Amino acid sequence: MARRGTLRTVQVLRALAAIMVVFAHLIGPDTLEGRLPGHVGFLDGLGRLGPAGVGLFFVISGVIMVLTTMDSGAGVVPARQFLLKRIVRIYPPYLVITAFLFAVSLVSPGAVDSSQAIRPDDVASFLLLPQLGFPLLLVGWTLVYEMYFYLVYTLAMLVKGRARGVVLVAWTAATFVLMELVPAGGNAYLNLARDPINLQFGLGALVGWLLATRKAVAPIVVASAGTLASVVVLVLAAESFPPISGGSSLGRSLLIGVPFAILVYGAVGLEERGLVRAPSVLSHLGDVSYSLYLTHVVVLGAIKRAVTGLDDQRLAVHLGLLVLALAAVVVVAEVFYRVVEKPLLSVLHHRLASALGRRMPPVLDERVPPAAA
């Protein structure tokens, strides 16, 4: 089996994940909507989809990491190249936003994450290190988990073939052991290592391995089942179903991760056989999703301050402002992607390639190389 090219269905799913996370910070009594007069409760369910959006991002990350490295060699050099490429992909755009928020915090203490119980650790925020509270950029906590997974996968890159899978299985087992033996507490690093949300990366890696080693099985059936299961999970999340909204972390992580893993497997299988065509608008939004993820909290925070004191109770005004806020978030993300993220990563990619003395795929390009069944 040969597979080459960017998986556009995955980009569409990335777009949907980003939108769910945006809803979590846009809709609900404790968000921008809560600052608007005439709060309408019937939209609150959309604001509860944030954990599902994060879970979908984590599953996709596991899939892509495996698919893009299946043809890579094993050893110190490939592992180093993998880690450097992920660092260049994640840090530069993130640091731009974090530096901006740090400057704002110096000028106006309390303006950044003022609602959080624990003040952000500035050094940990810049380096994406674990901390007990949230980083300067609120959504940065998920990138801490991303970097942790990249470090684990870097270790897996030291070996090849089935041994790489053994490393990931051992990591999964270690996560379960830590969950049982180490209570959540005051050590941010242990909290990170024992968090069952990491299993969502593992589910994605399993899907990536299945897709890379054999042709997708019954993609129509699997995609249909994954879609149905995912919709059920999203509805239950919107309705604050206890096992998802208030259940154990392990149960919540699996209830969210498993349906999305099935969905991604089926979606890639459908694309592989030419049975679906990704909508270009959503596919492009998937390309922009990292910029959207990084900038939306800042944009919504600025809008929140701008509408403070507004006293128009009309429903049309309330809904219109929400639509305008969502549009502003997308426009700013598009600008950031074109003006900051894409040019910055292009320059750093060339420097990284020169430093390593070899030609490398662009950092923004997560194309899937051929894989033999």
Side-chain angles (χ1 to χ4, degrees), residues 17-340:
I19 291 170
M20 284 190 279
V21 174
V22 171
F23 280 162
H25 300 118
L26 172 63
I27 297 174
D30 299 322
T31 66
L32 168 62
E33 189 190 12
R35 290 284 186 95
L36 300 176
H39 170 249
V40 287
F42 65 84
L43 291 176
D44 285 355
L46 294 176
R48 302 187 189 108
L49 301 182
V54 171
L56 181 52
F57 268 129
F58 285 177
V59 169
I60 289 173
S61 183
V63 173
I64 294 300
M65 290 310 100
V66 172
L67 288 180
T68 55
T69 59
M70 281 300 291
D71 287 346
S72 300
V76 174
V77 173
R80 182 185 64 176
Q81 290 172 348
F82 167 80
L83 183 58
L84 286 174
K85 187 176 179 181
R86 300 322 301 170
I87 288 173
V88 168
R89 179 69 185 93
I90 294 296
Y91 272 96
Y94 168 78
L95 291 177
V96 170
I97 300 296
T98 299
F100 170 76
L101 292 175
F102 178 69
V104 171
S105 70
L106 293 178
V107 175
S108 178
V112 177
D113 277 354
S114 58
S115 63
Q116 304 304 323
I118 303 176
R119 187 192 180 283
D121 182 311
D122 295 333
V123 174
S125 294
F126 275 99
L127 298 179
L128 284 175
L129 297 177
Q131 55 182 297
L132 294 178
F134 289 96
L136 285 165
L137 178 59
L138 185 63
V139 296
W141 72 268
T142 64
L143 300 180
V144 175
Y145 283 83
E146 285 279 355
M147 291 308 303
Y148 173 51
F149 174 62
Y150 295 157
L151 289 173
V152 171
Y153 201 80
T154 298
L155 294 178
M157 289 283 292
L158 295 174
V159 295
K160 63 180 179 179
R162 295 181 183 272
R164 192 172 294 176
V166 171
V167 173
L168 295 177
V169 170
W171 171 59
T172 302
T175 303
F176 277 107
V177 171
L178 289 172
M179 277 192 305
E180 292 298 321
L181 299 182
V182 180
N187 188 303
Y189 288 86
L190 287 177
N191 290 343
L192 171 67
R194 69 175 299 282
D195 196 329
I197 200 173
N198 290 307
L199 301 178
Q200 294 170 348
F201 292 112
L203 287 168
L206 174 61
V207 170
W209 180 79
L210 291 173
L211 290 169
T213 55
R214 55 183 56 84
K215 193 172 183 178
V217 177
I220 295 178
V221 175
V222 175
S224 299
T227 300
L228 178 60
S230 299
V231 169
V232 169
V233 165
L234 293 179
V235 170
L236 294 177
E239 294 297 324
S240 297
F241 184 57
I244 294 178
S245 61
S248 72
S249 297
L250 174 59
R252 184 166 62 249
S253 296
L254 294 179
L255 279 172
I256 291 173
V258 171
F260 284 145
I262 297 171
L263 174 63
V264 174
Y265 179 93
V268 173
L270 290 176
E271 181 177 2
E272 203 174 67
R273 299 193 184 188
L275 298 176
V276 295
R277 183 175 181 178
S280 57
V281 173
L282 283 179
S283 180
H284 177 69
L285 187 57
D287 296 339
V288 182
S289 61
Y290 188 45
S291 288
L292 179 62
Y293 198 74
L294 293 177
T295 59
H296 79 274
V297 175
V298 178
V299 175
L300 293 178
I303 297 175
K304 188 184 295 186
R305 289 175 176 80
V307 300
T308 299
L310 186 66
D311 193 29
D312 192 322
Q313 299 288 330
R314 289 175 296 175
L315 177 61
V317 173
H318 184 93
L319 297 179
L321 287 172
L322 289 181
V323 171
L324 288 175
L326 182 59
V329 162
V330 173
V331 169
V332 171
E334 179 72 26
V335 172
F336 187 84
Y337 173 74
R338 292 180 180 274
V339 175
V340 178

Side-chain angles (χ1 to χ4, degrees), residues 4-24:
R4 182 183 293 275
T6 302
L7 295 173
R8 306 316 298 175
T9 52
V10 171
Q11 293 302 84
V12 169
L13 292 174
R14 271 183 172 147
L16 295 177
I19 291 170
M20 284 190 279
V21 174
V22 171
F23 280 162

